Amino acid sequence: MQLRDSELTKYIGGANATFLNAIIRGFTFVLDLGRTIGTAIRRGVSGNACGF
């Protein structure tokens, strides 16, 4: 199936879902990073860090 240029400008695809997925993944990454840093700080302050 071939689309003309005028039809391509009207085409709405899955770009919105991809964009939202990227935003949600970014928020999840930031939350996980904060949780990891917070846990490391809390374990370091309380002295419950694992020894090697």
Side-chain angles (χ1 to χ4, degrees):
M1 179 178 165
Q2 294 276 331
L3 296 177
R4 292 186 294 261
D5 288 339
S6 62
E7 293 171 330
L8 287 173
T9 58
K10 296 177 184 175
Y11 184 75
I12 299 174
N16 290 338
T18 303
F19 182 68
L20 287 175
N21 190 19
I23 290 175
I24 291 170
R25 221 181 284 169
F27 281 130
T28 303
F29 173 75
V30 170
L31 288 174
D32 286 341
L33 183 64
R35 191 175 296 129
T36 302
I37 291 172
T39 300
I41 291 171
R42 181 176 47 85
R43 290 180 65 151
V45 169
S46 67
N48 291 332
C50 297
F52 289 101

